[in-house]
Amino acid sequence: MSEERVGTLEELSSWPEELCRRELPSVLPRLLSMYQHSESWMEHIQILKIMIEMFLPHMNHLTLEQTFFSQVLPKTVKLFDEMMYELTTQARGLSSQNVEIQNTLRNILQTMVQVLGALTGCVQHVCATQEPIILENIHSLPSSVLHVIKSTFVHCKNSESIYSGHLHLVSDLLQALFKEAYSLQKQLMELLDMVCMDPLVEENDDVLNMVLVIHSLLDICSVISSMDQAFHANTWKFIIKQSLKHQSVIKSQLKHKDIITSLCEDMLFSFHSCLQLAEPMPLSDAQDNADYRLFQKTLKLCRFFANSLLHYTKEFLPFLSDSCCTLHQLYLQIYSKFPPSLYAARVSKAHQEEIAGTFLVTLDPLISQLLTFQPFAQVVLDSKLDLPCDLQFPQCLLLVAVMDKLPSQPEDVQALWCTEGHVSEAVSRQSLLQAIFYSVEQCSGELSLPVHLQGVKSKGQAEVAVTLYQHVCVHLCLFIASFHPSLFPELDAALLNAVLSANMITSLLAMDAWCFLARYGTAEICAHHVTVVAHLIKSCPGECFQLINLSILLKRLFFFMAPTHQVEFIQKFSPKEAENLPLWQYVSFQALSTEPRKQTTQEITRVGTMQCRKWLSGSHTLGELESLNSALSALVAVCASAGETLDIGQQTAITEVGSQLWAFLSIKRVTNQPCVQQTFSLLLSLLGFFVQTLHPQLICQVITSQTSLLKFEPPDHVCLAMADFVSSLGNLFIPHTLQDKILPNLSCILALLLADKNWLLEQHTLEAFTQFAEGTNHEEIVPQCLSSEETKNKVVSFLEKTGFIEETEAAKVERVKQEKGVFREPSAKVAAEAAKWSSLQTCAKRARHEFPLEEQYRSALQAAVRGLEVTESLLQKAPAPAWLLVEMEGLQARIEQLKRSVLEAVTQPFPSSLLFVDTGLGRMYPGSPS
């Protein structure tokens, strides 16, 4: 710096205020020129300070941008960036021995502090202006100041790594630098709060400048989030305030997605910090604990972020289409880390209540705000939503929360959530009810543990915790009770689809909801539903899980029918007709009043035994077993739920046909013919009801047959029938002449069944063994059934109602989480397969489908036809051998089995045409339009 320039600057710094004002027009251009061409940092700072302190107060505030800020601030920002680069570069060589670098770095830091101080002077001067501040007149100031502030905060945040362990050598000046930047930002926010904008102009430089300011502050937020909680919160408060203040002009220019994303990230970070503080905190004297005070402070920050998000979402909702996924994930992430989630932190009950009461309550109104927003519904109900295991339970909670809020919403909002939607071929939305059923299906771990949630409050009763299943079921039924009549077809389809689901829990939940609907609705609608389900059962093409589900539903709904409607049902599906026997096997006769129960059971017994005698007097072919099994099933249903209505003659008729049918069974047929296995199981059940009146010799035959059959490892359903039969023998006294034959076989059966590894069969056998052991007069065989130490321990654990394997609560949770991950993959495959079938079935017209191995099928069938033709030719030439008839019956049975397999392959899943049966809800539900 020349001596002349030094003299000039020193002279100017001593000028009085009046002289500065008078000479401003002539001096300012010279100072600006010197500033632009100066090469010394110190001279830059000296000139800058003189211009700001001596001459800025006398400039016209309306021309500040043109005369001063636009000419000075770009150079100042460049100067600051150069100093920051030099500082970062030199810092690598910092050490306590290298005094020269120490001094260099400290000098740079001191100069940077002065730059920030000079900029603070600029901001303070504008703030002191009494006139309204137009952003266009100072637009270089906010952008330049924010750039410098962000650069400073980034440097301070990364100082630990920048100064390589020697931070203590410059920490005092870094602290001074941070404080100066902190002060400068506070001053700038005060200035920006005074800015005025024309609310009628949406596109001009003022609008763009304000948007730039808000986005720059957003960047600063991401830097200071972990440095100073209060400052971070104040910055966010200012961003939200300015966004709302100038909402009318900047709403279409703001990057709403960036703001929402940053706000959600900061909320999640604070929430995780809150949980980390709460997790190890002792409950004793927590109020006096420093950690507890920090916990409360962090919890308040969570609430602040939630309220800010709530406020912002409310005002800018139409612009948040691309933020819905972020908002959805926010909800899921929060509840995945909070009890009772399997993946939650271990937090005391007191801290849970404090977090829920202070922070989580703010998420509820957020969901209320988003409820009317179609893009949010699209994200939540996305048919291709594939959530990881830890987010499936929160998704279920979210859907229940939405379900609770919908009844108070107008019809169009309810329709938005309760109907399916197709935005495009690639994007589709399932209905809320479909999503609820699918979501519950995904929560296998939470259901099996089970996790507990807050129950629904009722008058005069204390609130108790309920399982996830109870929670969903209660809220689902409440929702159905308030369902809008125009949406009944959606309710029909969703309930029926869920009942026909391959997942047991989904089907059970739908049945519970349907039963509530039957009780809540009119008697007519209940009767109509029973009729619809009955027709569906009769339409089933064969044995399938859908038939089982429908039969359970029919049995439950039948109990809710009015007596007059039950009589009408009996007339419509008369038990006098053999074709209705397959339906009556699924009815519990306990649901009928005394007289109709007696008449119906007598008719079924008469028709059922007649069908059995018809089979006995016929050709005894395997192909006729289907009608026989239907008759036996109906007789078993009568004996199970209305056995007391049978007189001695009817009981005798049943035991006679049962005894005669048993004589036709052979172990070989039972081992390889599914239809014969069903007959075997049904006869065991039927004979078990009358075991006290059976001939001892027949009992001996039945038990001997079971022992022989167990050697061939029969299917589980056959073993279950055996266990039931054995349990019925508990009170039976076996004659001494047959004890040597029966008792060893009986102990052998129980020992083999108890040793089975199938958990369902094991549980059923333990119950059967206990019932037998408690009632039998032949105690000597009980120890013989316990063939191993493992079996003994298993029985003891069952009797004492203790777990066979000791497991801590934490270990149980970890096991359930692992199981949930294992189950997830097969579930996804099943869902994909179901979707594939659905897409095939909904095509009204489609091209001929080329099946795999079609040529092989044709060749095999043609070979079978040729074989039959050869046999027919041989019969014309010579008499048939004795064994030919037996073999042909075997072939016929195999053909029947193949036909059923083909039908099941073609009709699985359940025929889609039956999913749209009119259940009459729209006409018969209380309050519905006629």
Side-chain angles (χ1 to χ4, degrees):
M1 187 189 307
S2 66
E3 291 183 9
E4 180 184 351
R5 295 175 72 172
V6 172
T8 301
L9 294 176
E10 288 180 354
E11 180 187 348
L12 289 173
S13 63
S14 62
W15 279 12
E17 185 178 340
E18 182 60 32
L19 183 59
C20 291
R21 182 170 60 252
R22 190 170 62 249
E23 298 296 327
L24 174 64
S26 60
V27 174
L28 183 59
R30 287 171 56 200
L31 288 173
L32 290 172
S33 178
M34 291 169 62
Y35 188 71
Q36 294 295 336
H37 297 94
S38 174
E39 297 179 359
S40 165
W41 288 351
M42 294 307 298
E43 186 180 23
H44 268 115
I45 295 303
Q46 190 176 1
I47 298 170
L48 183 62
K49 290 173 72 175
I50 288 172
M51 286 191 293
I52 292 171
E53 293 172 6
M54 306 295 292
F55 296 97
L56 182 60
H58 307 296
M59 297 181 194
N60 184 343
H61 76 278
L62 295 176
T63 60
L64 277 177
E65 179 63 30
Q66 293 83 5
T67 59
F68 186 70
F69 290 149
S70 63
Q71 299 187 55
V72 172
L73 294 179
K75 181 72 174 181
T76 306
V77 170
K78 182 182 178 184
L79 171 71
F80 194 85
D81 286 345
E82 289 173 356
M83 284 190 269
M84 189 62 75
Y85 176 77
E86 189 69 20
L87 186 66
T88 306
T89 306
Q90 293 282 355
R92 296 170 188 160
L94 180 62
S95 68
S96 53
Q97 290 79 26
N98 196 331
V99 179
E100 183 181 348
I101 288 183
Q102 276 189 57
N103 292 334
T104 301
L105 294 176
R106 293 183 69 84
N107 288 335
I108 295 173
L109 286 167
Q110 287 170 344
T111 307
M112 294 172 78
V113 170
Q114 291 182 57
V115 172
L116 293 176
L119 292 173
T120 302
C122 287
V123 176
Q124 287 174 336
H125 166 70
V126 178
C127 284
T129 306
Q130 299 300 316
E131 302 291 333
I133 300 172
I134 307 299
L135 190 57
E136 189 178 357
N137 296 338
I138 58 164
H139 69 82
S140 295
L141 181 60
S143 59
S144 301
V145 168
L146 288 169
H147 176 88
V148 169
I149 289 172
K150 180 185 176 183
S151 180
T152 301
F153 287 151
V154 169
H155 184 80
C156 293
K157 184 178 183 178
N158 300 330
S159 57
E160 196 72 50
S161 59
I162 290 172
Y163 293 98
S164 310
H166 301 287
L167 181 61
H168 62 282
L169 298 175
V170 291
S171 58
D172 56 331
L173 288 173
L174 279 173
Q175 192 172 14
L177 186 69
F178 180 85
K179 286 181 178 179
E180 198 66 46
Y182 178 93
S183 176
L184 175 57
Q185 182 174 320
K186 284 184 66 179
Q187 289 286 337
L188 179 66
M189 290 194 297
E190 286 181 23
L191 167 62
L192 291 169
D193 206 25
M194 299 165 64
V195 165
C196 299
M197 298 180 69
D198 187 349
L200 301 177
V201 179
E202 294 189 22
E203 289 191 15
N204 61 18
D205 291 342
D206 243 13
V207 172
L208 297 176
N209 288 331
M210 179 54 74
V211 170
L212 181 63
V213 165
I214 291 173
H215 292 158
S216 298
L217 284 167
L218 190 63
D219 292 339
I220 290 173
C221 267
S222 64
V223 177
I224 62 173
S225 59
S226 58
M227 298 173 70
D228 188 310
Q229 279 190 355
F231 188 39
H232 183 216
N234 285 332
T235 305
W236 262 117
K237 189 182 297 184
F238 181 80
I239 290 172
I240 302 299
K241 181 180 179 182
Q242 293 304 307
S243 299
L244 300 180
K245 179 181 177 182
H246 306 295
Q247 175 187 358
S248 61
V249 292
I250 66 173
K251 59 187 177 185
S252 58
Q253 304 292 333
L254 280 174
K255 295 180 180 178
H256 298 287
K257 185 177 182 180
D258 292 349
I259 294 174
I260 292 292
T261 301
S262 297
L263 199 51
C264 291
E265 286 175 353
D266 286 345
M267 193 192 307
L268 275 175
F269 179 81
S270 298
F271 179 62
H272 291 157
S273 300
C274 200
L275 293 176
Q276 287 171 2
L277 289 166
E279 195 170 359
M281 198 186 304
L283 285 174
S284 57
D285 62 17
Q287 303 292 337
D288 303 323
N289 194 316
D291 284 342
Y292 179 72
R293 290 193 292 273
L294 181 58
F295 163 76
Q296 283 192 314
K297 185 178 178 182
T298 310
L299 187 55
K300 287 178 181 176
L301 188 62
C302 290
R303 184 180 178 87
F304 162 76
F305 284 132
N307 284 330
S308 299
L309 180 64
L310 188 64
H311 205 172
Y312 192 92
T313 304
K314 180 182 178 182
E315 299 300 330
F316 293 102
L317 186 60
F319 301 91
L320 302 185
S321 298
D322 56 353
S323 297
C324 289
C325 187
T326 303
L327 293 168
H328 180 216
Q329 285 294 314
L330 171 74
Y331 189 98
L332 301 187
Q333 290 289 345
I334 287 173
Y335 277 96
S336 72
K337 302 302 179 187
F338 191 75
S341 169
L342 300 179
Y343 305 85
R346 294 186 177 277
V347 181
S348 69
K349 189 69 176 175
H351 291 138
Q352 286 181 39
E353 291 174 356
E354 193 167 359
I355 292 171
T358 304
F359 169 54
L360 296 185
V361 290
T362 58
L363 297 180
D364 190 62
L366 177 64
I367 299 304
S368 298
Q369 284 180 185
L370 294 168
L371 211 58
T372 60
F373 197 37
Q374 189 272 338
F376 183 71
Q378 180 64 47
V379 167
V380 174
L381 301 177
D382 186 356
S383 59
K384 294 184 179 179
L385 189 65
D386 187 20
L387 295 171
C389 292
D390 60 323
L391 300 186
Q392 290 162 354
F393 173 64
Q395 171 75 356
C396 187
L397 296 183
L398 173 59
L399 294 171
V400 172
V402 169
M403 191 166 59
D404 289 345
K405 295 177 184 299
L406 279 183
S408 62
Q409 296 295 321
E411 183 183 347
D412 61 324
V413 177
Q414 292 190 37
L416 168 66
W417 286 88
C418 295
T419 57
E420 296 180 71
H422 297 275
V423 178
S424 65
E425 289 187 10
V427 181
S428 60
R429 181 184 75 241
Q430 56 187 335
S431 72
L432 177 62
L433 289 173
Q434 289 173 328
I436 286 275
F437 288 122
Y438 177 74
S439 181
V440 171
E441 185 179 319
Q442 301 305 302
C443 295
S444 57
E446 289 81 4
L447 290 165
S448 64
L449 194 61
V451 299
H452 287 85
L453 297 105
Q454 196 175 42
V456 177
K457 290 183 180 179
S458 55
K459 293 180 181 179
Q461 294 184 354
E463 186 176 301
V464 295
V466 296
T467 65
L468 174 61
Y469 184 88
Q470 291 171 315
H471 177 76
V472 175
C473 188
V474 168
H475 287 262
L476 177 59
C477 291
L478 288 172
F479 180 56
I480 289 173
S482 62
F483 216 70
H484 198 280
S486 65
L487 299 171
F488 287 155
E490 303 295 333
L491 177 61
D492 284 2
L495 287 178
L496 187 54
N497 261 312
V499 166
L500 299 176
S501 169
N503 183 275
M504 180 190 71
I505 289 295
T506 303
S507 184
L508 180 60
L509 179 61
M511 289 182 205
D512 285 342
W514 204 322
C515 288
F516 167 80
L517 181 60
R519 295 185 66 185
Y520 179 78
T522 62
E524 287 74 18
I525 193 173
C526 179
H528 186 66
H529 283 182
V530 171
T531 303
V532 169
V533 174
H535 280 299
L536 288 174
I537 288 174
K538 293 191 72 174
S539 301
C540 281
E543 289 293 332
C544 55
F545 66 83
Q546 291 96 337
L547 175 60
I548 295 170
N549 296 350
L550 286 169
S551 64
I552 295 170
L553 178 61
L554 177 67
K555 188 171 291 186
R556 294 181 62 181
L557 290 178
F558 210 81
F559 278 92
F560 303 129
M561 288 182 79
T564 54
H565 292 142
Q566 288 180 342
V567 172
E568 290 176 6
F569 182 90
I570 294 170
Q571 294 170 350
K572 189 176 295 184
F573 301 99
S574 175
K576 297 178 182 179
E577 299 174 15
E579 65 178 20
N580 289 325
L581 285 183
L583 179 62
W584 283 101
Q585 66 179 291
Y586 302 121
V587 174
S588 175
F589 296 95
Q590 292 177 350
L592 293 168
S593 53
T594 305
E595 193 57 34
R597 178 167 69 244
K598 185 175 181 181
Q599 292 176 359
T600 306
T601 54
Q602 287 176 350
E603 288 295 341
I604 291 174
T605 303
R606 183 183 62 79
V607 176
T609 52
M610 186 186 303
Q611 288 293 105
C612 293
R613 291 193 185 97
K614 181 179 178 182
W615 189 89
L616 286 167
S617 61
S619 54
H620 308 147
T621 61
L622 295 176
E624 297 172 350
L625 273 183
E626 187 173 348
S627 59
L628 173 63
N629 288 339
S630 294
L632 290 174
S633 297
L635 291 173
V636 168
V638 168
C639 295
S641 60
E644 76 284 353
T645 64
L646 300 176
D647 57 32
I648 298 299
Q650 291 167 332
Q651 294 179 27
T652 303
I654 292 174
T655 54
E656 281 180 358
V657 295
S659 303
Q660 292 170 26
L661 288 168
W662 188 267
F664 282 91
L665 292 177
S666 69
I667 298 301
K668 182 180 179 182
R669 289 278 176 84
V670 176
T671 56
N672 58 26
Q673 298 290 347
C675 54
V676 182
Q677 290 168 1
Q678 187 181 4
T679 308
F680 180 86
S681 301
L682 289 168
L683 283 175
L684 282 180
S685 299
L686 200 60
L687 296 175
F689 290 117
F690 306 103
V691 71
Q692 297 292 340
T693 61
L694 293 181
H695 193 282
Q697 194 64 45
L698 176 60
I699 294 174
C700 183
Q701 292 173 13
V702 172
I703 293 174
T704 304
S705 298
Q706 291 180 64
T707 310
S708 303
L709 185 58
L710 281 171
K711 296 175 184 177
F712 295 96
E713 299 183 354
D716 292 335
H717 70 91
V718 175
C719 294
L720 289 169
M722 291 182 185
D724 281 338
F725 182 80
V726 169
S727 68
S728 68
L729 300 176
N731 296 320
L732 180 70
F733 178 77
I734 300 170
H736 292 286
T737 54
L738 294 175
Q739 284 184 11
D740 289 343
K741 291 184 177 180
I742 293 178
L743 295 182
N745 283 326
L746 198 54
S747 63
C748 178
I749 293 169
L750 282 168
L752 289 171
L753 292 176
L754 285 170
D756 198 283
K757 298 301 180 183
N758 181 297
W759 67 269
L760 183 61
L761 180 58
E762 178 186 279
Q763 179 70 19
H764 205 73
T765 306
L766 285 168
E767 293 173 5
F769 172 77
T770 303
Q771 188 176 339
F772 172 80
E774 288 173 349
T776 186
N777 293 316
H778 307 282
E779 297 90 348
E780 66 275 12
I781 73 163
V782 172
Q784 299 171 19
C785 301
L786 309 178
S787 55
S788 66
E789 197 64 33
E790 181 184 356
T791 304
K792 289 179 185 177
N793 293 336
K794 195 186 297 184
V795 171
V796 170
S797 295
F798 176 78
L799 295 174
E800 295 179 350
K801 294 181 171 59
T802 58
F804 192 59
I805 301 173
E806 292 296 329
E807 191 176 35
T808 64
E809 192 63 29
K812 189 177 180 181
V813 170
E814 284 304 312
R815 173 178 57 78
V816 167
K817 283 160 67 174
Q818 290 175 10
E819 289 173 355
K820 190 172 179 179
V822 171
F823 294 153
R824 183 169 181 261
E825 192 173 337
S827 298
K829 289 180 179 177
V830 169
E833 191 68 19
K836 183 187 77 174
W837 273 104
S838 177
S839 65
L840 285 174
Q841 290 171 339
T842 53
C843 295
K845 296 180 180 180
R846 59 182 183 270
R848 180 178 177 271
H849 183 65
E850 291 296 332
F851 292 95
L853 306 178
E854 184 164 355
E855 289 305 317
Q856 288 90 325
Y857 275 119
R858 290 187 185 281
S859 299
L861 196 60
Q862 288 168 1
V865 170
R866 286 194 297 270
L868 290 172
E869 290 173 350
V870 171
T871 305
E872 187 178 5
S873 174
L874 290 172
L875 284 171
Q876 293 173 357
K877 297 177 181 177
W883 52 263
L884 183 61
L885 183 60
V886 177
E887 291 298 325
M888 288 182 70
E889 287 178 356
L891 282 173
Q892 186 175 355
R894 292 189 68 177
I895 290 172
E896 291 296 324
Q897 184 181 347
L898 284 171
K899 282 169 65 179
R900 283 194 294 272
S901 299
V902 172
L903 281 170
E904 288 174 8
V906 170
T907 58
Q908 298 292 332
F910 204 73
S912 60
S913 59
L914 297 181
L915 300 183
F916 302 98
V917 174
D918 179 13
T919 62
L921 277 176
R923 298 187 302 279
M924 307 175 72
Y925 198 84
S928 65
S930 57

